[in-house]
Amino acid sequence: MTYTTIQGDTWDMIAYKTLGKETLMVQIMNLNPDCISVSIFGAGTNLLLPEITVTEEVYADLPPWKV
């Protein structure tokens, strides 16, 4: 799975928009080491995204009725 950045994207914003949780940005960064020094993206950078399955980690901070 891939994501094409828009102007102003940051790692945590991308993780939240695509995977639902900002802390998953580490997995995105690990898949895209060539962009690791970028803090704020310009438009048009293609990033690889990890395949994330629904786990307790993703929903750990939600109450049980929202999982």
Side-chain angles (χ1 to χ4, degrees):
M1 187 155 91
T2 62
Y3 173 77
T4 302
T5 61
I6 59 171
Q7 182 70 36
D9 269 346
T10 59
W11 291 105
D12 58 336
M13 287 172 53
I14 295 165
Y16 184 76
K17 287 193 296 190
T18 61
L19 304 174
K21 192 163 183 179
E22 297 94 343
T23 56
L24 295 173
M25 70 182 201
V26 175
Q27 285 87 333
I28 300 172
M29 294 170 87
N30 288 338
L31 286 175
N32 299 280
D34 53 325
C35 297
I36 203 80
S37 64
V38 178
S39 296
I40 300 173
F41 287 91
T45 301
N46 291 316
L47 299 174
L48 294 174
L49 297 177
E51 294 294 327
I52 300 291
T53 57
V54 177
T55 64
E56 290 182 18
E57 176 192 351
V58 174
Y59 294 107
D61 54 352
L62 292 178
W65 61 88
K66 288 196 169 187
V67 175

PDB file of all heavy atoms in Angstrom, residues 17-40:
ATOM      1  N   LYS A  17      -3.948   9.782   9.288  1.00  0.00           N
ATOM      2  CA  LYS A  17      -4.865   9.756   8.138  1.00  0.00           C
ATOM      3  C   LYS A  17      -4.982   8.372   7.519  1.00  0.00           C
ATOM      4  O   LYS A  17      -6.051   7.976   7.074  1.00  0.00           O
ATOM      5  CB  LYS A  17      -4.412  10.742   7.048  1.00  0.00           C
ATOM      6  CG  LYS A  17      -4.642  12.190   7.386  1.00  0.00           C
ATOM      7  CD  LYS A  17      -4.485  13.104   6.194  1.00  0.00           C
ATOM      8  CE  LYS A  17      -3.119  13.132   5.608  1.00  0.00           C
ATOM      9  NZ  LYS A  17      -2.918  14.193   4.606  1.00  0.00           N
ATOM     10  N   THR A  18      -3.883   7.645   7.464  1.00  0.00           N
ATOM     11  CA  THR A  18      -3.892   6.376   6.744  1.00  0.00           C
ATOM     12  C   THR A  18      -4.069   5.149   7.630  1.00  0.00           C
ATOM     13  O   THR A  18      -4.625   4.153   7.192  1.00  0.00           O
ATOM     14  CB  THR A  18      -2.592   6.199   5.932  1.00  0.00           C
ATOM     15  OG1 THR A  18      -1.471   6.205   6.827  1.00  0.00           O
ATOM     16  CG2 THR A  18      -2.449   7.299   4.890  1.00  0.00           C
ATOM     17  N   LEU A  19      -3.583   5.224   8.873  1.00  0.00           N
ATOM     18  CA  LEU A  19      -3.601   4.055   9.747  1.00  0.00           C
ATOM     19  C   LEU A  19      -4.423   4.252  11.016  1.00  0.00           C
ATOM     20  O   LEU A  19      -4.638   3.313  11.765  1.00  0.00           O
ATOM     21  CB  LEU A  19      -2.170   3.662  10.121  1.00  0.00           C
ATOM     22  CG  LEU A  19      -1.232   3.391   8.939  1.00  0.00           C
ATOM     23  CD1 LEU A  19       0.187   3.152   9.438  1.00  0.00           C
ATOM     24  CD2 LEU A  19      -1.732   2.212   8.126  1.00  0.00           C
ATOM     25  N   GLY A  20      -4.833   5.499  11.272  1.00  0.00           N
ATOM     26  CA  GLY A  20      -5.712   5.755  12.404  1.00  0.00           C
ATOM     27  C   GLY A  20      -5.054   6.074  13.722  1.00  0.00           C
ATOM     28  O   GLY A  20      -5.721   6.336  14.707  1.00  0.00           O
ATOM     29  N   LYS A  21      -3.720   6.083  13.765  1.00  0.00           N
ATOM     30  CA  LYS A  21      -3.030   6.370  15.011  1.00  0.00           C
ATOM     31  C   LYS A  21      -1.664   6.984  14.718  1.00  0.00           C
ATOM     32  O   LYS A  21      -0.876   6.438  13.953  1.00  0.00           O
ATOM     33  CB  LYS A  21      -2.874   5.087  15.830  1.00  0.00           C
ATOM     34  CG  LYS A  21      -2.439   5.336  17.232  1.00  0.00           C
ATOM     35  CD  LYS A  21      -2.699   4.133  18.088  1.00  0.00           C
ATOM     36  CE  LYS A  21      -2.300   4.483  19.511  1.00  0.00           C
ATOM     37  NZ  LYS A  21      -2.543   3.384  20.422  1.00  0.00           N
ATOM     38  N   GLU A  22      -1.393   8.127  15.361  1.00  0.00           N
ATOM     39  CA  GLU A  22      -0.142   8.852  15.107  1.00  0.00           C
ATOM     40  C   GLU A  22       1.099   8.042  15.458  1.00  0.00           C
ATOM     41  O   GLU A  22       2.125   8.163  14.790  1.00  0.00           O
ATOM     42  CB  GLU A  22      -0.088  10.162  15.922  1.00  0.00           C
ATOM     43  CG  GLU A  22      -1.149  11.155  15.566  1.00  0.00           C
ATOM     44  CD  GLU A  22      -2.387  11.039  16.466  1.00  0.00           C
ATOM     45  OE1 GLU A  22      -2.555   9.990  17.147  1.00  0.00           O
ATOM     46  OE2 GLU A  22      -3.183  11.968  16.472  1.00  0.00           O
ATOM     47  N   THR A  23       1.018   7.232  16.492  1.00  0.00           N
ATOM     48  CA  THR A  23       2.198   6.487  16.942  1.00  0.00           C
ATOM     49  C   THR A  23       2.663   5.437  15.940  1.00  0.00           C
ATOM     50  O   THR A  23       3.785   4.941  16.052  1.00  0.00           O
ATOM     51  CB  THR A  23       1.942   5.820  18.308  1.00  0.00           C
ATOM     52  OG1 THR A  23       0.792   4.983  18.207  1.00  0.00           O
ATOM     53  CG2 THR A  23       1.730   6.858  19.390  1.00  0.00           C
ATOM     54  N   LEU A  24       1.842   5.126  14.964  1.00  0.00           N
ATOM     55  CA  LEU A  24       2.249   4.166  13.935  1.00  0.00           C
ATOM     56  C   LEU A  24       3.162   4.802  12.883  1.00  0.00           C
ATOM     57  O   LEU A  24       3.591   4.142  11.945  1.00  0.00           O
ATOM     58  CB  LEU A  24       1.014   3.541  13.286  1.00  0.00           C
ATOM     59  CG  LEU A  24       0.173   2.687  14.233  1.00  0.00           C
ATOM     60  CD1 LEU A  24      -1.119   2.238  13.552  1.00  0.00           C
ATOM     61  CD2 LEU A  24       0.955   1.491  14.733  1.00  0.00           C
ATOM     62  N   MET A  25       3.517   6.067  13.097  1.00  0.00           N
ATOM     63  CA  MET A  25       4.430   6.741  12.166  1.00  0.00           C
ATOM     64  C   MET A  25       5.791   6.065  12.132  1.00  0.00           C
ATOM     65  O   MET A  25       6.464   6.079  11.113  1.00  0.00           O
ATOM     66  CB  MET A  25       4.575   8.217  12.507  1.00  0.00           C
ATOM     67  CG  MET A  25       5.323   8.512  13.761  1.00  0.00           C
ATOM     68  SD  MET A  25       5.375  10.279  14.071  1.00  0.00           S
ATOM     69  CE  MET A  25       6.781  10.356  15.161  1.00  0.00           C
ATOM     70  N   VAL A  26       6.184   5.430  13.222  1.00  0.00           N
ATOM     71  CA  VAL A  26       7.481   4.750  13.274  1.00  0.00           C
ATOM     72  C   VAL A  26       7.550   3.648  12.220  1.00  0.00           C
ATOM     73  O   VAL A  26       8.558   3.503  11.527  1.00  0.00           O
ATOM     74  CB  VAL A  26       7.747   4.185  14.687  1.00  0.00           C
ATOM     75  CG1 VAL A  26       9.026   3.370  14.712  1.00  0.00           C
ATOM     76  CG2 VAL A  26       7.796   5.311  15.693  1.00  0.00           C
ATOM     77  N   GLN A  27       6.464   2.900  12.061  1.00  0.00           N
ATOM     78  CA  GLN A  27       6.436   1.846  11.051  1.00  0.00           C
ATOM     79  C   GLN A  27       6.537   2.440   9.644  1.00  0.00           C
ATOM     80  O   GLN A  27       7.196   1.871   8.784  1.00  0.00           O
ATOM     81  CB  GLN A  27       5.154   1.007  11.180  1.00  0.00           C
ATOM     82  CG  GLN A  27       5.170   0.062  12.348  1.00  0.00           C
ATOM     83  CD  GLN A  27       4.670   0.687  13.640  1.00  0.00           C
ATOM     84  OE1 GLN A  27       4.742   1.882  13.855  1.00  0.00           O
ATOM     85  NE2 GLN A  27       4.159  -0.146  14.525  1.00  0.00           N
ATOM     86  N   ILE A  28       5.895   3.569   9.406  1.00  0.00           N
ATOM     87  CA  ILE A  28       5.982   4.228   8.095  1.00  0.00           C
ATOM     88  C   ILE A  28       7.403   4.713   7.857  1.00  0.00           C
ATOM     89  O   ILE A  28       7.963   4.536   6.771  1.00  0.00           O
ATOM     90  CB  ILE A  28       4.978   5.395   7.979  1.00  0.00           C
ATOM     91  CG1 ILE A  28       3.545   4.888   8.157  1.00  0.00           C
ATOM     92  CG2 ILE A  28       5.130   6.094   6.625  1.00  0.00           C
ATOM     93  CD1 ILE A  28       2.502   5.989   8.247  1.00  0.00           C
ATOM     94  N   MET A  29       7.999   5.316   8.862  1.00  0.00           N
ATOM     95  CA  MET A  29       9.371   5.817   8.736  1.00  0.00           C
ATOM     96  C   MET A  29      10.340   4.677   8.453  1.00  0.00           C
ATOM     97  O   MET A  29      11.253   4.823   7.636  1.00  0.00           O
ATOM     98  CB  MET A  29       9.778   6.571  10.001  1.00  0.00           C
ATOM     99  CG  MET A  29       8.978   7.845  10.212  1.00  0.00           C
ATOM    100  SD  MET A  29       9.249   8.582  11.827  1.00  0.00           S
ATOM    101  CE  MET A  29      10.693   9.584  11.450  1.00  0.00           C
ATOM    102  N   ASN A  30      10.147   3.540   9.110  1.00  0.00           N
ATOM    103  CA  ASN A  30      11.030   2.389   8.889  1.00  0.00           C
ATOM    104  C   ASN A  30      10.949   1.862   7.462  1.00  0.00           C
ATOM    105  O   ASN A  30      11.937   1.344   6.929  1.00  0.00           O
ATOM    106  CB  ASN A  30      10.714   1.267   9.875  1.00  0.00           C
ATOM    107  CG  ASN A  30      11.157   1.593  11.278  1.00  0.00           C
ATOM    108  OD1 ASN A  30      12.030   2.420  11.499  1.00  0.00           O
ATOM    109  ND2 ASN A  30      10.532   0.954  12.249  1.00  0.00           N
ATOM    110  N   LEU A  31       9.797   1.984   6.827  1.00  0.00           N
ATOM    111  CA  LEU A  31       9.638   1.527   5.439  1.00  0.00           C
ATOM    112  C   LEU A  31      10.158   2.531   4.415  1.00  0.00           C
ATOM    113  O   LEU A  31      10.289   2.204   3.240  1.00  0.00           O
ATOM    114  CB  LEU A  31       8.152   1.254   5.144  1.00  0.00           C
ATOM    115  CG  LEU A  31       7.564  -0.008   5.748  1.00  0.00           C
ATOM    116  CD1 LEU A  31       6.071  -0.072   5.468  1.00  0.00           C
ATOM    117  CD2 LEU A  31       8.252  -1.237   5.178  1.00  0.00           C
ATOM    118  N   ASN A  32      10.435   3.761   4.858  1.00  0.00           N
ATOM    119  CA  ASN A  32      10.850   4.827   3.943  1.00  0.00           C
ATOM    120  C   ASN A  32      12.102   5.543   4.452  1.00  0.00           C
ATOM    121  O   ASN A  32      12.105   6.754   4.679  1.00  0.00           O
ATOM    122  CB  ASN A  32       9.689   5.833   3.798  1.00  0.00           C
ATOM    123  CG  ASN A  32       8.460   5.183   3.219  1.00  0.00           C
ATOM    124  OD1 ASN A  32       8.358   4.992   2.021  1.00  0.00           O
ATOM    125  ND2 ASN A  32       7.519   4.810   4.081  1.00  0.00           N
ATOM    126  N   PRO A  33      13.203   4.798   4.623  1.00  0.00           N
ATOM    127  CA  PRO A  33      14.412   5.394   5.198  1.00  0.00           C
ATOM    128  C   PRO A  33      15.009   6.523   4.364  1.00  0.00           C
ATOM    129  O   PRO A  33      15.685   7.398   4.907  1.00  0.00           O
ATOM    130  CB  PRO A  33      15.378   4.214   5.301  1.00  0.00           C
ATOM    131  CG  PRO A  33      14.887   3.225   4.299  1.00  0.00           C
ATOM    132  CD  PRO A  33      13.391   3.408   4.254  1.00  0.00           C
ATOM    133  N   ASP A  34      14.744   6.551   3.069  1.00  0.00           N
ATOM    134  CA  ASP A  34      15.268   7.618   2.219  1.00  0.00           C
ATOM    135  C   ASP A  34      14.613   8.965   2.523  1.00  0.00           C
ATOM    136  O   ASP A  34      15.158  10.010   2.166  1.00  0.00           O
ATOM    137  CB  ASP A  34      15.101   7.262   0.736  1.00  0.00           C
ATOM    138  CG  ASP A  34      13.681   6.880   0.380  1.00  0.00           C
ATOM    139  OD1 ASP A  34      12.987   6.257   1.221  1.00  0.00           O
ATOM    140  OD2 ASP A  34      13.247   7.197  -0.748  1.00  0.00           O
ATOM    141  N   CYS A  35      13.488   8.985   3.205  1.00  0.00           N
ATOM    142  CA  CYS A  35      12.775  10.230   3.535  1.00  0.00           C
ATOM    143  C   CYS A  35      12.864  10.564   5.018  1.00  0.00           C
ATOM    144  O   CYS A  35      12.207  11.501   5.483  1.00  0.00           O
ATOM    145  CB  CYS A  35      11.305  10.115   3.143  1.00  0.00           C
ATOM    146  SG  CYS A  35      11.015   9.890   1.393  1.00  0.00           S
ATOM    147  N   ILE A  36      13.660   9.828   5.763  1.00  0.00           N
ATOM    148  CA  ILE A  36      13.688   9.949   7.215  1.00  0.00           C
ATOM    149  C   ILE A  36      14.062  11.356   7.680  1.00  0.00           C
ATOM    150  O   ILE A  36      13.622  11.794   8.744  1.00  0.00           O
ATOM    151  CB  ILE A  36      14.620   8.883   7.832  1.00  0.00           C
ATOM    152  CG1 ILE A  36      14.252   8.604   9.279  1.00  0.00           C
ATOM    153  CG2 ILE A  36      16.065   9.275   7.736  1.00  0.00           C
ATOM    154  CD1 ILE A  36      13.098   7.697   9.431  1.00  0.00           C
ATOM    155  N   SER A  37      14.813  12.097   6.914  1.00  0.00           N
ATOM    156  CA  SER A  37      15.228  13.449   7.323  1.00  0.00           C
ATOM    157  C   SER A  37      14.173  14.514   7.034  1.00  0.00           C
ATOM    158  O   SER A  37      14.324  15.656   7.440  1.00  0.00           O
ATOM    159  CB  SER A  37      16.544  13.826   6.635  1.00  0.00           C
ATOM    160  OG  SER A  37      16.344  13.891   5.235  1.00  0.00           O
ATOM    161  N   VAL A  38      13.096  14.143   6.374  1.00  0.00           N
ATOM    162  CA  VAL A  38      12.033  15.091   6.053  1.00  0.00           C
ATOM    163  C   VAL A  38      11.107  15.248   7.251  1.00  0.00           C
ATOM    164  O   VAL A  38      10.655  14.265   7.829  1.00  0.00           O
ATOM    165  CB  VAL A  38      11.215  14.624   4.823  1.00  0.00           C
ATOM    166  CG1 VAL A  38      10.085  15.580   4.527  1.00  0.00           C
ATOM    167  CG2 VAL A  38      12.122  14.446   3.619  1.00  0.00           C
ATOM    168  N   SER A  39      10.838  16.504   7.625  1.00  0.00           N
ATOM    169  CA  SER A  39       9.891  16.769   8.706  1.00  0.00           C
ATOM    170  C   SER A  39       8.532  17.144   8.155  1.00  0.00           C
ATOM    171  O   SER A  39       7.506  16.674   8.636  1.00  0.00           O
ATOM    172  CB  SER A  39      10.397  17.903   9.599  1.00  0.00           C
ATOM    173  OG  SER A  39      11.590  17.529  10.227  1.00  0.00           O
ATOM    174  N   ILE A  40       8.534  18.032   7.159  1.00  0.00           N
ATOM    175  CA  ILE A  40       7.301  18.474   6.517  1.00  0.00           C
ATOM    176  C   ILE A  40       7.442  18.195   5.025  1.00  0.00           C
ATOM    177  O   ILE A  40       8.348  18.709   4.372  1.00  0.00           O
ATOM    178  CB  ILE A  40       7.043  19.974   6.768  1.00  0.00           C
ATOM    179  CG1 ILE A  40       6.930  20.239   8.270  1.00  0.00           C
ATOM    180  CG2 ILE A  40       5.779  20.423   6.043  1.00  0.00           C
ATOM    181  CD1 ILE A  40       6.838  21.693   8.650  1.00  0.00           C
TER     182      ILE A  40
END
